[in-house]
């Protein structure tokens, strides 16, 4: 079985608990959501996104950022499937290692490089390949892996057993449940039992990361966090300003920081937006 991915790149982690850590990102293809609603009423497609779809882009570098809808649209929308790469596991491993300065997961001063599995939704069917990926002979010095997940996907039993019993890798679930501004329904998006199944694993950590734009979103974060707490999950909560582009992000960031201070959550920047302007490959 091959892995379909849209991007592999080396950058600094821009969000959440490991902000600033040198990290290799593998953006797998496919998502169970569309999140067309960001910035749009009733989850409609924006004119901006319709224009992107209508344009025949031939590589990722040409793709524009969008202000509405999912900012990773090309990592799941079938209309961009032709831009993705299908690779055997050995090829994926070689590609990931090529990206690091040393060709290994450790830098010369001992600092390890994190592997971030993102998407799309990285916990879809690709779970079947992850044990082979992490146990590949060239991956033996990998110490830290983060799944950037929308927290809706059950773990396959064999993958769950692996996560629960292995000792070498620190796994982190960076859980970004979608609020109603995304256009997805509450029942589809907020799944405390799924989060709980990640939280209960040994050798792993979990934190929540919500994108918020206004007070409505913040009230929903409160409600969602309460549902997760009721399921026994006592994990840190980060909030982050909406804004795929720099101007919008900077406009919102201060207000979100104030909200974090008022509500007792952590503020997460979007460091990659500050540094790189949130282009593809960052
Ligand atoms: S869950 Fe994430 S990747 Fe999937 S459509 Fe929503 S924002 Fe995009």
């Amino acid at each position: 079985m091959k892995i379909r991915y849209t991007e592999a790149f080396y950058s600094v982690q821009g969000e959440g608990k490991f902000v600033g850590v040198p990290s290799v990102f593998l953006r797998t293809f496919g998502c169970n959501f569309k999140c067309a609603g960001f910035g749009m009423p009733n989850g409609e497609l924006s004119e901006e996104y319709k224009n992107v779809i209508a344009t025949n882009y031939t590589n990722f570098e040409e793709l524009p950022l969008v202000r509405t809808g999912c900012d990773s649209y090309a990592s799941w929308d079938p209309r961009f499937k032709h831009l993705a790469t299908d690779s055997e596991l050995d090829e994926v491993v070689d590609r990931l290692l090529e990206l690091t300065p040393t060709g290994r997961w450790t830098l010369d001063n001992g600092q390890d490089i994190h592997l971030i599995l993102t998407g799309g939704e990285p916990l879809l069917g690709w779970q079947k390949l992850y044990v082979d990926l992490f146990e590949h002979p060239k991956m033996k010095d990998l110490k830290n892996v983060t799944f950037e997940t929308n927290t809706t996907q059950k773990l396959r039993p064999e993958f769950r057993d692996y996560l629960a019993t292995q000792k070498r890798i620190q796994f982190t679930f960076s859980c970004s449940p979608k609020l109603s501004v995304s256009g997805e329904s509450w029942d589809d998006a907020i799944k405390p039992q799924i989060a709980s199944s990640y939280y209960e694993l040994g050798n792993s950590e979990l934190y929540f990361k919500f994108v918020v734009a206004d007070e409505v979103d913040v009230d929903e974060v409160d409600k969602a966090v309460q549902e997760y707490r009721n399921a026994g999950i006592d994990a840190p909560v980060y909030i982050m300003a909406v804004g795929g582009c720099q101007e919008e992000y900077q406009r919102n960031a201060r207000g979100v920081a104030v909200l974090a201070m008022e509500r007792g959550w952590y503020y997460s920047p979007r460091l990659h937006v500050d540094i790189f302007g949130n282009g593809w490959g960052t």
Side-chain angles (χ1 to χ4, degrees):
M1 184 178 169
K2 294 182 172 182
I3 297 188
R4 176 171 294 160
Y5 65 97
T6 52
E7 297 185 289
F9 55 92
Y10 185 45
S11 187
V12 288
Q13 172 58 279
E15 304 172 353
K17 180 177 175 183
F18 295 116
V19 162
V21 175
S23 302
V24 169
F25 291 75
L26 180 65
R27 190 182 294 286
T28 58
F29 190 85
C31 187
N32 54 317
F33 285 159
K34 291 191 168 57
C35 295
F38 280 126
M40 288 295 293
N42 311 319
E44 292 163 15
L45 282 187
S46 63
E47 287 306 312
E48 177 192 29
Y49 193 57
K50 286 181 194 159
N51 287 337
V52 175
I53 292 166
T55 309
N56 190 19
Y57 291 103
T58 51
N59 64 57
F60 268 95
E61 287 72 46
E62 294 171 4
L63 288 173
L65 297 173
V66 292
R67 286 157 210 264
T68 48
C70 167
D71 63 0
S72 311
Y73 58 90
S75 62
W76 56 264
D77 189 326
R79 287 165 288 206
F80 299 94
K81 201 166 72 179
H82 60 290
L83 301 179
T85 305
D86 288 314
S87 291
E88 298 290 350
L89 199 65
D90 285 345
E91 293 169 321
V92 174
V93 168
D94 287 342
R95 176 73 192 123
L96 298 177
L97 288 171
E98 255 172 42
L99 293 166
T100 73
T102 53
R104 293 178 283 114
W105 291 100
T106 314
L107 294 168
D108 290 340
N109 66 354
Q111 170 65 46
D112 75 301
I113 295 169
H114 290 202
L115 173 61
I116 316 295
L117 292 163
T118 190
E121 169 49 49
L123 292 176
L124 293 178
W126 308 121
Q127 284 186 40
K128 277 189 248 170
L129 294 175
Y130 288 158
V131 176
D132 289 343
L133 175 66
F134 302 139
E135 292 302 313
H136 191 282
K138 293 182 181 171
M139 302 286 271
K140 292 291 183 197
D141 63 335
L142 177 68
K143 295 195 196 77
N144 266 286
V145 174
T146 296
F147 299 106
E148 294 188 330
T149 174
N150 62 23
T151 323
T152 59
Q153 298 302 303
K154 279 188 185 163
L155 296 175
R156 297 168 64 88
E158 52 288 7
F159 186 45
R160 187 192 56 223
D161 291 348
Y162 171 79
L163 293 173
T165 53
Q166 69 79 41
K167 302 270 188 260
R168 170 172 52 98
I169 300 173
Q170 171 68 57
F171 286 100
T172 301
F173 290 84
S174 172
C175 294
S176 295
K178 300 300 165 229
L179 303 175
S180 55
V181 65
S182 70
E184 303 297 334
S185 80
W186 185 269
D187 288 347
D188 287 341
I190 307 298
K191 302 222 172 250
Q193 294 315 318
I194 298 285
S196 180
S197 70
Y198 304 166
Y199 184 69
E200 286 165 359
L201 292 165
N203 313 319
S204 71
E205 289 188 23
L206 181 153
Y207 64 84
F208 291 106
K209 193 177 68 181
F210 292 93
V211 178
V212 298
D214 57 25
E215 290 281 345
V216 175
D217 296 344
V218 172
D219 289 342
E220 284 192 17
V221 173
D222 255 336
K223 184 176 162 205
V225 168
Q226 194 52 54
E227 290 195 21
Y228 291 119
R229 298 274 188 260
N230 292 346
I233 305 167
D234 183 19
V237 175
Y238 290 77
I239 57 171
M240 211 163 64
V242 74
C245 66
Q246 217 159 7
E247 311 85 73
E248 185 188 18
Y249 164 66
Q250 275 159 1
R251 233 184 1 256
N252 296 328
R254 182 184 290 232
V256 171
V258 169
L259 281 167
M261 291 189 287
E262 286 171 358
R263 305 268 180 148
W265 298 322
Y266 296 162
Y267 171 79
S268 170
R270 295 182 146 201
L271 191 61
H272 51 302
V273 177
D274 281 333
I275 301 174
F276 304 112
N278 201 27
W280 292 91
T282 63

